[in-house]
Amino acid sequence: MKLNRRHVLALSGAAAATTLFAPVLRARAAVPFSQPELPYGEDALTPVISARTVGLHYGKHHAGYFKKLNTLVEKTPYAELSLEDVVVRSRKNGDTDIFNNAAQALNHNLYWMQFKGGAAAPKGALLEAINSNFSGLDDLEKKMVAQGDKVFGTGWVWLVKDDGKLVITGMQDAGTPVAEGKKALVGIDVWEHAYYLDYENRRPEHVAAVLGKLVNWDYVSEQFQD
Ligand code: MN
């Protein structure tokens, strides 16, 4: 709207400032989906994951999914939804490009949140669930490593809460339990960009190290009880 002198005079004080400037501010933050900040420094996961891998993975790959997603959803009803709802609906609607970028944006949000250098072992209700669904944490980790090795090409290995049970599942490409309405507890990225600089072709070694040394089981426990 073009403001003429009469409009400007009709607006006064704070109301005028809000009316005049709010749309400008909104336009500047016009992307519907923003990448959350990394919850720690790029070097916080060393030596298991190098700062260079974290920098590229977070700053280029993860950021890239958000950038593409924002371009794809522009002026579509998806722009009004939560990221989780975009994942679920784009899958249902067969909007593959939107699904791939939304799911990868969300998968990596979960990925960064679950890690912490020097994290503590699982305890309480989560430990009980691990012990009743597997023969202990070592068994769970061994099975996740094996499942990660089975994913052909790119994908994820997930620990999922499904109907109160803990289930390990491998998924290809942008696959996510969230699309199936299931709760993701741990998600290990087995795309080569997640490990190749540090582990070259040794994917199982990477997955084992990440599970054994970086997963913040206190955080997983909160998700499990949520
Ligand atoms: Mn990734």
Side-chain angles (χ1 to χ4, degrees):
M1 160 178 106
K2 217 173 175 181
L3 290 172
N4 61 29
R5 194 164 169 268
R6 194 166 52 83
H7 282 123
V8 175
L9 289 175
L11 300 163
S12 65
T18 307
T19 313
L20 288 172
F21 294 111
V24 177
L25 293 176
R26 224 177 293 133
R28 239 177 239 161
V31 292
F33 303 103
S34 352
Q35 184 186 23
E37 270 183 44
L38 197 62
Y40 33 70
E42 287 182 0
D43 60 354
L45 308 180
T46 55
V48 181
I49 306 177
S50 68
R52 180 158 160 73
T53 292
V54 172
L56 287 167
H57 198 176
Y58 173 81
K60 302 289 183 196
H61 294 274
H62 192 194
Y65 298 127
F66 272 97
K67 204 172 164 198
K68 280 186 203 145
L69 174 65
N70 282 321
T71 305
L72 288 166
V73 301
E74 208 182 339
K75 294 180 182 137
T76 76
Y78 287 115
E80 309 299 322
L81 302 178
S82 70
L83 187 53
E84 286 80 356
D85 285 344
V86 174
V87 168
V88 172
R89 291 206 204 171
S90 60
R91 162 69 72 84
K92 268 192 198 142
N93 296 342
D95 288 328
T96 309
D97 285 349
I98 292 179
F99 171 78
N100 284 337
N101 286 284
Q104 282 294 78
L106 182 63
N107 285 346
H108 288 80
N109 288 356
L110 305 175
Y111 181 77
W112 301 117
M113 287 300 291
Q114 73 194 339
F115 292 144
K116 187 183 173 186
K123 47 185 184 277
L126 177 63
L127 181 60
E128 279 170 34
I130 289 172
N131 288 337
S132 66
N133 288 274
F134 303 94
S135 34
L137 182 62
D138 284 353
D139 182 42
L140 159 65
E141 290 181 359
K142 216 186 285 170
K143 285 181 172 144
M144 280 192 83
V145 171
Q147 192 63 56
D149 200 29
K150 264 195 209 164
V151 174
F152 186 78
T154 59
W156 293 79
V157 54
W158 296 101
L159 178 66
V160 175
K161 185 179 173 186
D162 184 7
D163 223 4
K165 283 190 185 152
L166 298 181
V167 177
I168 292 170
T169 175
M171 293 183 174
Q172 285 198 288
D173 303 331
T176 181
V178 177
E180 297 165 9
K182 291 173 189 162
K183 179 95 182 169
L185 298 179
V186 176
I188 307 300
D189 190 338
V190 294
W191 288 54
E192 286 183 348
H193 65 228
Y195 62 87
Y196 215 85
L197 284 175
D198 303 327
Y199 295 79
E200 299 180 336
N201 61 321
R202 302 186 306 279
R203 183 193 284 182
E205 194 185 312
H206 167 77
V207 176
V210 164
L211 285 170
K213 294 174 185 161
L214 292 184
V215 170
N216 179 1
W217 292 104
D218 289 338
Y219 174 77
V220 177
S221 192
E222 283 167 26
Q223 304 305 306
F224 177 70
Q225 287 171 64
D226 190 20

mmCIF file of all heavy atoms in Angstrom, residues 57 61 65 104 108 156 189 191 193-194, ligand 1:
data_model
loop_
_atom_site.group_PDB
_atom_site.id
_atom_site.type_symbol
_atom_site.label_atom_id
_atom_site.label_comp_id
_atom_site.label_asym_id
_atom_site.label_seq_id
_atom_site.Cartn_x
_atom_site.Cartn_y
_atom_site.Cartn_z
ATOM 1 N N HIS A 57 28.781 -30.268 7.644
ATOM 2 C CA HIS A 57 27.510 -30.978 7.766
ATOM 3 C C HIS A 57 26.390 -30.019 8.209
ATOM 4 O O HIS A 57 25.312 -29.990 7.631
ATOM 5 C CB HIS A 57 27.676 -32.124 8.780
ATOM 6 C CG HIS A 57 26.618 -33.173 8.702
ATOM 7 N ND1 HIS A 57 26.651 -34.310 9.470
ATOM 8 C CD2 HIS A 57 25.490 -33.269 7.966
ATOM 9 C CE1 HIS A 57 25.601 -35.049 9.199
ATOM 10 N NE2 HIS A 57 24.868 -34.439 8.292
ATOM 11 N N HIS A 61 25.342 -28.806 4.438
ATOM 12 C CA HIS A 61 24.292 -29.797 4.123
ATOM 13 C C HIS A 61 22.966 -29.455 4.807
ATOM 14 O O HIS A 61 21.943 -29.299 4.146
ATOM 15 C CB HIS A 61 24.755 -31.205 4.516
ATOM 16 C CG HIS A 61 25.904 -31.686 3.699
ATOM 17 N ND1 HIS A 61 25.754 -32.323 2.486
ATOM 18 C CD2 HIS A 61 27.246 -31.593 3.908
ATOM 19 C CE1 HIS A 61 26.940 -32.613 1.980
ATOM 20 N NE2 HIS A 61 27.869 -32.184 2.833
ATOM 21 N N TYR A 65 19.363 -27.894 3.102
ATOM 22 C CA TYR A 65 17.994 -28.451 3.101
ATOM 23 C C TYR A 65 16.987 -27.354 3.456
ATOM 24 O O TYR A 65 15.910 -27.270 2.865
ATOM 25 C CB TYR A 65 17.879 -29.614 4.093
ATOM 26 C CG TYR A 65 18.766 -30.792 3.766
ATOM 27 C CD1 TYR A 65 19.644 -31.309 4.722
ATOM 28 C CD2 TYR A 65 18.735 -31.394 2.506
ATOM 29 C CE1 TYR A 65 20.467 -32.391 4.429
ATOM 30 C CE2 TYR A 65 19.554 -32.479 2.208
ATOM 31 C CZ TYR A 65 20.421 -32.980 3.180
ATOM 32 O OH TYR A 65 21.230 -34.042 2.887
ATOM 33 N N GLN A 104 14.832 -33.994 5.718
ATOM 34 C CA GLN A 104 16.252 -33.846 6.036
ATOM 35 C C GLN A 104 16.492 -32.664 6.982
ATOM 36 O O GLN A 104 17.346 -32.745 7.867
ATOM 37 C CB GLN A 104 17.080 -33.708 4.757
ATOM 38 C CG GLN A 104 17.303 -35.029 4.044
ATOM 39 C CD GLN A 104 18.165 -35.975 4.856
ATOM 40 O OE1 GLN A 104 17.703 -36.609 5.812
ATOM 41 N NE2 GLN A 104 19.446 -36.081 4.517
ATOM 42 N N HIS A 108 18.016 -33.614 10.716
ATOM 43 C CA HIS A 108 19.259 -33.023 11.230
ATOM 44 C C HIS A 108 19.012 -32.158 12.471
ATOM 45 O O HIS A 108 19.901 -32.045 13.316
ATOM 46 C CB HIS A 108 19.973 -32.228 10.134
ATOM 47 C CG HIS A 108 20.597 -33.105 9.078
ATOM 48 N ND1 HIS A 108 19.867 -33.651 8.059
ATOM 49 C CD2 HIS A 108 21.874 -33.544 8.933
ATOM 50 C CE1 HIS A 108 20.687 -34.387 7.297
ATOM 51 N NE2 HIS A 108 21.906 -34.338 7.806
ATOM 52 N N TRP A 156 19.541 -43.409 7.136
ATOM 53 C CA TRP A 156 19.574 -43.208 8.581
ATOM 54 C C TRP A 156 19.326 -44.521 9.306
ATOM 55 O O TRP A 156 18.597 -45.378 8.804
ATOM 56 C CB TRP A 156 18.451 -42.233 9.014
ATOM 57 C CG TRP A 156 18.658 -40.848 8.511
ATOM 58 C CD1 TRP A 156 18.383 -40.403 7.242
ATOM 59 C CD2 TRP A 156 19.191 -39.737 9.234
ATOM 60 N NE1 TRP A 156 18.724 -39.072 7.142
ATOM 61 C CE2 TRP A 156 19.215 -38.640 8.356
ATOM 62 C CE3 TRP A 156 19.641 -39.559 10.541
ATOM 63 C CZ2 TRP A 156 19.671 -37.381 8.726
ATOM 64 C CZ3 TRP A 156 20.103 -38.315 10.928
ATOM 65 C CH2 TRP A 156 20.123 -37.236 10.019
ATOM 66 N N ASP A 189 22.964 -40.522 11.195
ATOM 67 C CA ASP A 189 23.067 -40.213 9.772
ATOM 68 C C ASP A 189 24.134 -41.128 9.171
ATOM 69 O O ASP A 189 25.276 -41.118 9.625
ATOM 70 C CB ASP A 189 23.503 -38.736 9.670
ATOM 71 C CG ASP A 189 23.439 -38.182 8.270
ATOM 72 O OD1 ASP A 189 23.462 -38.968 7.305
ATOM 73 O OD2 ASP A 189 23.380 -36.940 8.148
ATOM 74 N N TRP A 191 24.625 -41.081 5.727
ATOM 75 C CA TRP A 191 25.071 -40.498 4.458
ATOM 76 C C TRP A 191 26.588 -40.322 4.578
ATOM 77 O O TRP A 191 27.100 -40.011 5.663
ATOM 78 C CB TRP A 191 24.441 -39.120 4.241
ATOM 79 C CG TRP A 191 22.980 -39.093 3.919
ATOM 80 C CD1 TRP A 191 21.966 -39.660 4.627
ATOM 81 C CD2 TRP A 191 22.368 -38.441 2.792
ATOM 82 N NE1 TRP A 191 20.757 -39.397 4.023
ATOM 83 C CE2 TRP A 191 20.974 -38.652 2.895
ATOM 84 C CE3 TRP A 191 22.865 -37.696 1.715
ATOM 85 C CZ2 TRP A 191 20.070 -38.139 1.960
ATOM 86 C CZ3 TRP A 191 21.970 -37.178 0.780
ATOM 87 C CH2 TRP A 191 20.583 -37.413 0.910
ATOM 88 N N HIS A 193 28.438 -37.943 3.828
ATOM 89 C CA HIS A 193 28.885 -36.617 4.301
ATOM 90 C C HIS A 193 29.008 -36.567 5.830
ATOM 91 O O HIS A 193 29.680 -35.708 6.373
ATOM 92 C CB HIS A 193 27.970 -35.483 3.779
ATOM 93 C CG HIS A 193 26.561 -35.489 4.280
ATOM 94 N ND1 HIS A 193 25.456 -35.351 3.461
ATOM 95 C CD2 HIS A 193 26.053 -35.611 5.525
ATOM 96 C CE1 HIS A 193 24.363 -35.384 4.184
ATOM 97 N NE2 HIS A 193 24.695 -35.528 5.449
ATOM 98 N N ALA A 194 28.352 -37.509 6.516
ATOM 99 C CA ALA A 194 28.399 -37.521 7.985
ATOM 100 C C ALA A 194 29.711 -38.075 8.523
ATOM 101 O O ALA A 194 30.080 -37.795 9.663
ATOM 102 C CB ALA A 194 27.230 -38.340 8.534
HETATM 103 MN MN MN B 1 23.442 -35.379 7.020
#
